[in-house]
Amino acid sequence: MGDHSASMSQASRILLSLVAGLLLGIGLAAWRPDQAVALTAVTQPLGTAWLHALQMVIVPLIVGLLVTGVAAAAEAARAGRIAARAILIFIAILWADTLLSALVMPALLRLWPLPPGWGESLRAALAGAAPVGEVPTLARFFDTLVPTNAVAAAAADAFLPLTVFTLAFAFAVARLPEAQRTRLVELFQAIVDAMLVIITWVLMLAPIGVFALAYGVGARTGAAAFGALAHYIASVSAIGLLVLVAAYPLAWIAGGIAPGRFARAVAPAQAVALSTQSSLASLPEMLRASQALGAPAATAGIVLPIAVAIFRATSPAMNLAVALYVAHLVGASIGPGALAAGVATAAITTMGSVSLPGTVSFIASVAPVALAMGVPIEALGLFVAVETIPDLFRTVGNVTMDVAVTRIVARWGGAPEPVSPDAAS
């Protein structure tokens, strides 16, 4: 997420549909309140049907992406020690970022909660957004971590046990002889490609679905909806900014590069990331920045392409933040068990976010985390329309962390090239 240039025209259409739906709902509610609410009997099922159409592909998509993502990581690790070292650092950072989000996001929402009037209005507008299934306790988290029946877990949207099984299956596939491994990976890649075709069809209807959902929110909440969306954007973007900023001390402590030097070197890559919302488009500048920071061209040439393909430093932290925000929005209590389920699901499924445009990966990455925590996903239909702004923080954070990790791998590999004297001071 935040790493591929989705069609800006499509993103603009979805955003305009959100604004138009809210404004129409607000205007009609002010003019004819009874008729405005009555009309939601038509618009709400339309919006819900669109959400269900997105939700129906999540299980096969996540399974396919995890298998192909782990296969890509294993293939890269087999290519040499540099790649293996980079992947280990990637995994450590992903888990650390997710745990950081689990600590910071609830604290942020306690310090700066959604104003009561806005929250009550949105909860009324999302009246059907009740907790999904049984909210996991800490005991249940460990009890259900390993599924007794993977098919039943998939059917019940039990994403954490399904993810654990899929991860074990993916690592088993990676140990098979090459011919068998290739056939299976190609099968799951074909499944992913087919799911992406379906999602493309569903997203063609996104303006209608988002308009229908937004109308219902506008009719029931009034102008509070705009304030609530702004609060959401600021809260979730703050977590992305936190991950971005964490790259600077990480490059200093583990990479031996002072923050000022690191900031100057990575700035051009960040500028490309901001303008394109694509890590892939930022790759040439990331290569130049890494070499300017003393990473040999051979090391940067291995680490950065792997990072662009499978490493999303901001994704698990921000995906968990979205799920925690929805829980805050609907007044759902998140205990230790639910939080542990969210952390584990967010950190593991990130490896499956490869090659997805932002709009697709928002639903595919956040929904499993929310469902694992027992959090309803109805609000995601609105939040996807304003994902463009948080997506900027995702992309810039990913690019910044990619360069930091490249420098760290070069230093720990014992082969960093000399940098100018101010690099380490």
Side-chain angles (χ1 to χ4, degrees):
M1 187 183 301
D3 293 281
H4 303 273
S5 297
S7 167
M8 288 305 295
S9 60
Q10 176 70 354
S12 299
R13 284 196 294 271
I14 295 174
L15 182 59
L16 286 173
S17 299
L18 173 77
V19 174
L22 288 174
L23 289 177
L24 181 62
I26 293 167
L28 196 55
W31 181 43
R32 295 284 181 86
D34 292 342
Q35 292 184 12
V37 173
L39 190 56
T40 62
V42 177
T43 60
Q44 196 65 35
L46 280 175
T48 302
W50 176 73
L51 270 181
H52 288 169
L54 280 176
Q55 191 176 350
M56 72 180 179
V57 301
I58 290 176
V59 167
L61 184 63
I62 289 296
V63 171
L65 285 170
L66 272 175
V67 172
T68 55
V70 169
E75 194 66 35
R78 279 191 288 267
R81 287 180 299 174
I82 290 175
R85 188 179 297 116
I87 290 170
L88 288 174
I89 295 173
F90 293 159
I91 292 171
I93 290 174
L94 291 174
W95 278 91
D97 287 346
T98 313
L99 290 169
L100 184 66
S101 178
L103 293 172
V104 173
M105 189 64 179
L108 176 63
L109 291 174
R110 282 195 298 270
L111 290 172
W112 186 46
L114 187 66
W118 296 356
E120 289 167 9
S121 297
L122 275 178
R123 278 193 288 275
L126 298 169
V132 179
E134 184 177 348
V135 177
T137 61
L138 196 57
R140 183 165 177 77
F141 167 77
F142 288 108
D143 186 48
T144 60
L145 186 61
V146 179
T148 57
N149 186 327
V151 175
D157 281 344
F159 272 96
L160 181 57
L162 176 63
T163 299
V164 170
F165 168 79
T166 305
L167 200 61
F169 178 77
F171 280 116
V173 169
R175 298 292 299 273
L176 292 175
E178 183 177 358
Q180 292 178 313
R181 183 174 70 244
T182 301
R183 283 198 296 272
L184 274 175
V185 172
E186 287 177 348
L187 170 64
F188 280 95
Q189 185 59 58
I191 291 172
V192 169
D193 293 342
M195 293 303 103
L196 291 178
V197 171
I198 294 174
I199 289 177
T200 301
W201 295 340
V202 175
L203 287 178
M204 290 173 66
L205 301 174
I208 298 172
V210 170
F211 176 87
L213 291 169
Y215 170 80
V217 171
R220 291 190 175 104
T221 68
F226 287 103
L229 288 172
H231 185 268
Y232 161 80
I233 291 169
S235 301
V236 173
S237 296
I239 300 300
L241 181 61
L242 184 64
V243 175
L244 190 163
V245 170
Y248 293 80
L250 185 66
W252 187 17
I253 295 167
I257 297 293
R261 166 75 180 190
F262 181 77
R264 289 191 295 273
V266 80
Q270 292 174 329
V272 175
L274 272 174
S275 61
T276 64
Q277 289 184 262
S278 170
S279 289
L280 185 60
S282 309
L283 185 55
E285 287 297 341
M286 284 195 284
L287 285 166
R288 277 191 280 272
S290 299
Q291 291 174 33
L293 295 172
T299 300
I302 293 172
V303 176
L304 285 172
I306 297 173
V308 168
I310 65 172
F311 180 46
R312 304 287 186 273
T314 60
S315 284
M318 294 184 73
N319 294 343
L320 180 64
V322 174
L324 288 170
Y325 190 92
V326 175
H328 176 71
L329 174 66
V330 300
S333 177
I334 300 297
L339 191 59
V343 167
T345 305
I348 294 170
T349 56
T350 298
M351 294 291 286
S353 64
V354 57
S355 300
L356 289 181
T359 307
V360 176
S361 58
F362 179 82
I363 298 292
S365 301
V366 178
V369 180
L371 292 170
M373 297 169 68
V375 173
I377 65 169
E378 282 79 359
L380 299 186
L382 295 177
F383 292 157
V384 70
V386 294
E387 173 59 13
T388 300
I389 297 174
D391 198 47
L392 292 172
F393 290 91
R394 290 179 185 270
T395 308
V396 178
N398 292 343
V399 164
T400 307
M401 195 65 82
D402 288 352
V403 175
V405 170
T406 304
R407 167 62 196 182
I408 293 167
V409 171
R411 189 189 191 198
W412 290 7
E417 294 178 346
V419 294
S420 57
D422 64 336
S425 61

